[in-house]
């Protein structure tokens, strides 16, 4: 009976190997791009062809009942490169947006912390922060009373609010009058009262005032810009995020260094912040981020990469040898059998 060269099992394993290695080839190409650039496609193709050849050789050895340990170790060596590149490509692809959004939210928090830290070091006449916040609240109430369309100007309620503010300030305010009995005149009156009260709260030099104003404006600006960016579709976030991160951190470091210069070493210490997201797409960053933030997604990517590069090898190694092929065709191991005719 003529021996069958290829069984259904062989064809299935060949199809499965080509399928998995093809996906691995594409991901390896993407994962090695940051290192080898345009040459990554050639390197990925060579690695994939080597893996297919080794799988074929290991399958033949297993069918003949031989030991495939040596070939398996060679396969593991080459597959390790594909595994590393695959993990980088897959993890970066699906985690890029999450990494960017996390960095943007951290920057928002950095600006808020900078604002709080600087304000706590400024020379205020009213040193208690809670009292300052109460006075600011009273200023808002005073503005509403003065500009109230139904009863514009300084009425009885406005005078009550001014009395509470003077009590908290510990000093009298200079009485002011509107420049005209118009909505614009009353709005100007509210602005002048606010400026007078803020001036009594603060005891700041011109540089300190400018610093406080710049930081407050930056906090408002970047909070608005970052929130707007986070509402965009995922592909637009991935495209725009790094540029916004670099701009935001540049301004953050500029303001922090300015605060350090104005307030001095004894009052304010500042450490510049650098963007980690510039490393997104690099092999080292992918593994470092996955280890530090290991969770279900990192586990799934890890399992998927193992399946791509080692799944077919595990299947071949666990399959039993075909007894019909054991020691077939070997002049060393085959022995003649038969009857001796006397």
């Amino acid at each position: 009976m003529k021996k069958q060269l290829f069984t259904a099992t062989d064809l299935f394993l060949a199809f499965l190997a080509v399928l998995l290695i093809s996906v691995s080839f594409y991901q390896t190409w993407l994962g090695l791009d940051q290192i080898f650039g345009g040459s990554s496609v050639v390197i990925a193709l060579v690695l994939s062809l080597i893996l297919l050849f080794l799988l074929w050789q290991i399958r033949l050895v297993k069918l003949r009942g031989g030991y495939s340990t040596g070939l398996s170790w060679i396969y593991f060596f080459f597959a390790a490169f594909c595994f590393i590149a695959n993990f980088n490509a897959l993890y970066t692809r699906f985690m890029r947006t999450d990494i960017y959004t996390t960095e943007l939210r951290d920057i928002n928090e950095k600006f808020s912390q900078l604002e709080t830290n600087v304000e706590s070091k400024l020379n205020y006449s009213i040193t208690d922060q809670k009292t300052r916040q109460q006075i600011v609240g009273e200023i808002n109430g005073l503005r509403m009373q003065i500009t109230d369309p139904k009863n514009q100007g300084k009425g009885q309620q406005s005078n009550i609010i001014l009395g509470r503010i003077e009590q908290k300030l510990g000093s009298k305010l200079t009485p002011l009058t509107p420049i005209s009995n118009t909505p614009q005149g009353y709005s100007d009156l509210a602005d002048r009262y606010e400026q007078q009260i803020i001036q009594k709260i603060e005891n700041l030099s011109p540089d300190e005032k400018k610093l406080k104003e710049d930081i407050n404006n930056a906090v408002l600006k970047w909070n608005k810009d970052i929130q707007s960016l986070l509402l965009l579709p995922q592909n637009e976030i991935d495209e725009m995020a790094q540029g916004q991160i670099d701009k935001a951190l540049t301004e953050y470091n500029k303001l922090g260094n300015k605060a350090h210069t104005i307030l001095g070493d004894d009052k304010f210490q500042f450490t510049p912040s650098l963007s980690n997201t510039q490393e997104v797409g690099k092999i080292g960053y992918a593994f470092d981020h996955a280890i530090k933030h290991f969770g279900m997604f990192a586990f799934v990517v890890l399992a998927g990469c193992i399946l791509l590069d080692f799944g077919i090898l595990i299947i071949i190694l666990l399959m039993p040898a075909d007894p019909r092929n054991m020691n077939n065709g070997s002049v060393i191991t085959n022995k003649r059998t038969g009857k001796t005719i006397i």
Side-chain angles (χ1 to χ4, degrees), residues 33 43 52-53 76 82 99 120 166 170 179 274 282-283 328:
D33 185 67
I43 297 172
L52 285 174
F53 174 76
F76 182 86
C82 296
I99 292 170
S120 66
E166 289 175 340
I179 56 176
L274 301 176
K282 296 184 178 181
I283 291 174
N328 183 51

Side-chain angles (χ1 to χ4, degrees), residues 286-313:
F287 280 91
D288 181 66
H289 190 275
I291 292 171
K292 292 179 179 178
H293 304 84
F294 191 82
M296 181 55 68
F297 183 82
F299 175 78
V300 171
V301 174
L302 181 65
C305 293
I306 293 174
L307 173 64
L308 282 178
D309 298 311
F310 301 103
I312 188 66
L313 173 66

Side-chain angles (χ1 to χ4, degrees), residues 65 103 191 291:
E103 181 79 0
D191 289 338
I291 292 171

Side-chain angles (χ1 to χ4, degrees), residues 212-310:
K212 181 176 181 292
E213 181 181 351
D214 289 344
I215 292 178
N216 291 341
N217 291 336
V219 169
L220 294 174
K221 173 182 180 295
W222 284 110
N223 181 66
K224 179 181 177 181
D225 289 352
I226 289 174
Q227 292 303 321
S228 299
L229 178 60
L230 294 179
L231 294 175
L232 296 176
Q234 179 175 329
N235 61 328
E236 294 187 32
I237 293 176
D238 293 345
E239 182 179 350
M240 300 172 58
Q242 188 59 60
Q244 290 293 84
I245 289 171
D246 291 339
K247 290 178 183 178
L249 286 180
T250 298
E251 185 167 0
Y252 170 79
N253 290 331
K254 180 180 177 181
L255 290 172
N257 288 324
K258 183 178 179 181
H260 179 262
T261 301
I262 293 174
L263 299 176
D265 289 335
D266 56 331
K267 279 191 174 183
F268 185 78
Q269 298 291 330
F270 178 73
T271 302
S273 292
L274 301 176
S275 171
N276 292 325
T277 53
Q278 291 180 344
E279 302 295 315
V280 171
K282 296 184 178 181
I283 291 174
Y285 183 85
F287 280 91
D288 181 66
H289 190 275
I291 292 171
K292 292 179 179 178
H293 304 84
F294 191 82
M296 181 55 68
F297 183 82
F299 175 78
V300 171
V301 174
L302 181 65
C305 293
I306 293 174
L307 173 64
L308 282 178
D309 298 311
F310 301 103

Side-chain angles (χ1 to χ4, degrees), residues 14-28:
F15 172 77
L16 188 61
V18 171
L19 184 63
L20 291 176
I21 298 300
S22 296
V23 177
S24 177
F25 156 71
Y26 179 69
Q27 298 302 327
T28 301

Side-chain angles (χ1 to χ4, degrees), residues 47-144:
L47 288 172
S48 299
L49 292 175
I50 290 174
L51 295 185
L52 285 174
F53 174 76
L54 289 172
L55 287 172
W56 176 50
Q57 291 296 315
I58 293 170
R59 173 62 176 164
L60 290 179
V61 172
K62 285 289 294 182
L63 286 175
R64 294 168 182 169
Y67 294 100
S68 58
T69 305
L71 286 173
S72 297
W73 277 111
I74 296 174
Y75 179 93
F76 182 86
F77 174 78
F78 286 102
F81 291 97
C82 296
F83 172 82
I84 293 171
N86 288 341
F87 189 90
N88 177 44
L90 290 171
Y91 189 83
T92 300
R93 176 183 176 185
F94 293 103
M95 288 296 291
R96 183 186 296 273
T97 305
D98 183 73
I99 292 170
Y100 281 142
T101 54
T102 300
E103 181 79 0
L104 287 167
R105 291 190 179 98
D106 287 345
I107 290 173
N108 235 346
E109 184 64 25
K110 288 179 188 294
F111 272 105
S112 297
Q113 290 176 354
L114 178 64
E115 181 181 39
T116 301
N117 291 339
V118 168
E119 287 197 0
S120 66
K121 303 299 189 299
L122 294 175
N123 296 316
Y124 287 103
S125 298
I126 306 300
T127 57
D128 183 59
Q129 184 178 5
K130 184 177 179 180
T131 303
R132 292 200 303 268
Q133 292 173 347
Q134 291 174 350
I135 295 174
V136 171
E138 297 284 11
I139 292 173
N140 295 331
L142 178 64
R143 174 178 291 278
M144 293 177 62

Side-chain angles (χ1 to χ4, degrees), residues 167-215:
Q167 184 178 5
K168 289 182 172 63
L169 290 173
S171 62
K172 291 290 184 179
L173 292 170
T174 302
L176 302 175
T177 57
I179 56 176
S180 63
N181 295 322
T182 62
Q184 292 77 15
Y186 292 121
S187 178
D188 174 75
L189 176 63
D191 289 338
R192 286 185 287 130
Y193 261 117
E194 180 177 359
Q195 293 172 4
Q196 183 183 174
I197 295 167
I198 293 298
Q199 189 172 4
K200 284 185 172 293
I201 294 175
E202 299 175 346
N203 183 26
L204 307 180
S205 67
D207 287 341
E208 289 177 324
K209 287 182 179 179
K210 186 65 168 61
L211 173 65
K212 181 176 181 292
E213 181 181 351
D214 289 344
I215 292 178

